[in-house]
Amino acid sequence: MQSNSTKSLIEGALLAAINVILSLMAIYMPIMGTFATLVWPVPIVILVVRHGIRTATLSMIVAGIIVAMVSGPFQAVGIVLGFGILGLVIGWAIKKDASPFKVIAFGSVASMISILILMLISMWVIGINPITQELDILKESISMTTEFYNKLGVDPKAIETTVESFNKALDILPLIIPAIFIIASVFDAFLTYMITKAVMSRMGQKLRDFTPFVLWRFPDYTVAIFLLGSVLVMLEPYWPKGILKAIGMNLVIVFGCILFLQGLSLLTYYLAKFNVGKFFRAIIAFFVLFNPLFLQIVFFAGFFDVLFNFRKI
């Protein structure tokens, strides 16, 4: 019993030190910092799985205190809350032997809660809304770019058309912030799980695998919710405050991404079925990801695959 307690303390201290290093990298090394923030929750997940939430929480608090002493409390709170909650929740879900998809679902909710908490703290402590600040930066960058191209002698009409399209995109951006947060949260949770899985496999502890991507199938209501979002966007003229448009656009973006994934899964299935070589798969992937026409084809393939299951053909 004492041996297990000692081992838990040693691993907790070691992983807390790793979190401190990752935190300092995130603060002071912009390029490496991006990588550091992506892997920050992983030590917390490992501690929860191996030694429980209590040890992981203590390790997280110790790491936060050290970072606060070195870089300031606001940076420490931002990193610990931004990624610690995600690590704790994913670790808890894994320890409960939840399926990988449920782990990602729990982790995504935790990530979204973290984002909201950090936004509220930022608005309360600094008095700055991060979203409006980012929008102001984007608008300023568009203005600076316009001036730059004007000095180069670029056709004013071409510049005006481009700027107008960017401004329209900026007008829409605040409406789709929830969809962006949801997609980013799912990505964070998925990446954390996959990195943790790889690390723990090296430590001799295997986590559950996802269903093979070629067999992924999303429920029928995915199409229904996507269509509902499309209808809400079309009903915008009948609602003066823009609420229907905002809800509809977010539903379209989130569930549109899901249907696109369904289409990619279907494409992968048939490429494997017909034994298409890696070279041709790479070419097809390039066209799918960088050609708008192929993007639409894959999306609609996913749309109808949800309804009809083309794998049975």
Side-chain angles (χ1 to χ4, degrees):
M1 186 74 175
Q2 188 175 359
S3 174
N4 289 336
S5 177
T6 303
K7 183 179 179 182
S8 149
L9 287 173
I10 292 173
E11 285 197 10
L14 177 62
L15 292 174
I18 292 174
N19 278 129
V20 170
I21 294 170
L22 292 173
S23 299
L24 296 177
M25 287 173 61
I27 295 170
Y28 297 112
M29 301 172 65
I31 297 175
M32 291 296 294
T34 303
F35 169 77
T37 55
L38 292 176
V39 300
W40 204 98
V42 174
I44 303 300
V45 178
I46 293 172
L47 277 175
V48 175
V49 175
R50 292 172 65 86
H51 302 292
I53 287 183
R54 181 175 176 273
T55 301
T57 304
L58 288 173
S59 175
M60 190 173 70
I61 292 171
V62 169
I65 291 171
I66 296 173
V67 173
M69 292 170 62
V70 175
S71 303
F74 190 74
Q75 287 86 349
V77 169
I79 290 176
V80 170
L81 284 182
F83 304 100
I85 295 175
L86 173 62
L88 290 174
V89 171
I90 286 184
W92 168 82
I94 292 173
K95 201 170 180 64
K96 292 291 184 181
D97 198 31
S99 69
F101 285 106
K102 286 185 178 180
V103 172
I104 301 306
F106 285 123
S108 300
V109 173
S111 181
M112 282 187 282
I113 291 173
S114 298
I115 292 171
L116 291 174
I117 291 174
L118 289 176
M119 285 183 58
L120 291 173
I121 291 175
S122 177
M123 294 171 67
W124 178 55
V125 176
I126 306 178
I128 295 175
N129 186 328
I131 296 175
T132 56
Q133 186 182 36
E134 289 296 326
L135 289 173
D136 290 340
I137 292 172
L138 287 173
K139 289 177 181 178
E140 186 177 348
S141 66
I142 291 173
S143 176
M144 292 173 62
T145 305
T146 303
E147 291 179 9
F148 175 74
Y149 281 116
N150 279 326
K151 290 178 180 178
L152 289 178
V154 178
D155 183 7
K157 290 185 178 179
I159 296 175
E160 184 180 352
T161 303
T162 305
V163 169
E164 186 178 350
S165 63
F166 273 114
N167 285 330
K168 286 181 180 179
L170 286 179
D171 290 337
I172 293 173
L173 192 58
L175 299 177
I176 61 172
I177 291 295
I180 295 172
F181 281 173
I182 291 171
I183 293 170
S185 298
V186 172
F187 177 77
D188 282 346
F190 176 78
L191 200 61
T192 298
Y193 183 81
M194 295 305 293
I195 296 174
T196 303
K197 185 176 181 296
V199 172
M200 294 195 70
S201 177
R202 297 293 297 271
M203 297 171 68
Q205 188 171 353
K206 291 189 175 183
L207 302 184
R208 294 173 63 177
D209 289 319
F210 281 96
T211 303
F213 184 62
V214 295
L215 300 178
W216 281 22
R217 279 193 53 75
F218 293 97
D220 293 347
Y221 61 75
T222 305
V223 170
I225 297 177
F226 175 83
L227 293 176
L228 173 63
S230 302
V231 171
L232 291 179
V233 172
M234 290 188 291
L235 289 176
E236 163 64 16
Y238 304 100
W239 194 276
K241 295 183 180 180
I243 296 176
L244 291 182
K245 182 178 181 180
I247 295 173
M249 290 183 69
N250 284 282
L251 291 177
V252 166
I253 291 172
V254 172
F255 286 89
C257 287
I258 293 174
L259 293 173
F260 179 73
L261 277 178
Q262 181 73 54
L264 281 180
S265 173
L266 180 67
L267 175 62
T268 306
Y269 172 83
Y270 277 106
L271 290 176
K273 183 176 180 180
F274 293 107
N275 295 317
V276 177
K278 292 183 179 179
F279 176 75
F280 290 105
R281 290 190 188 196
I283 293 176
I284 293 169
F286 175 82
F287 279 108
V288 167
L289 295 176
F290 296 102
N291 186 295
L293 175 61
F294 283 94
L295 282 172
Q296 291 182 13
I297 291 172
V298 171
F299 165 78
F300 282 110
F303 182 97
F304 289 107
D305 184 48
V306 169
L307 298 175
F308 302 110
N309 193 2
F310 294 136
R311 291 170 178 82
K312 292 182 178 180
I313 297 176

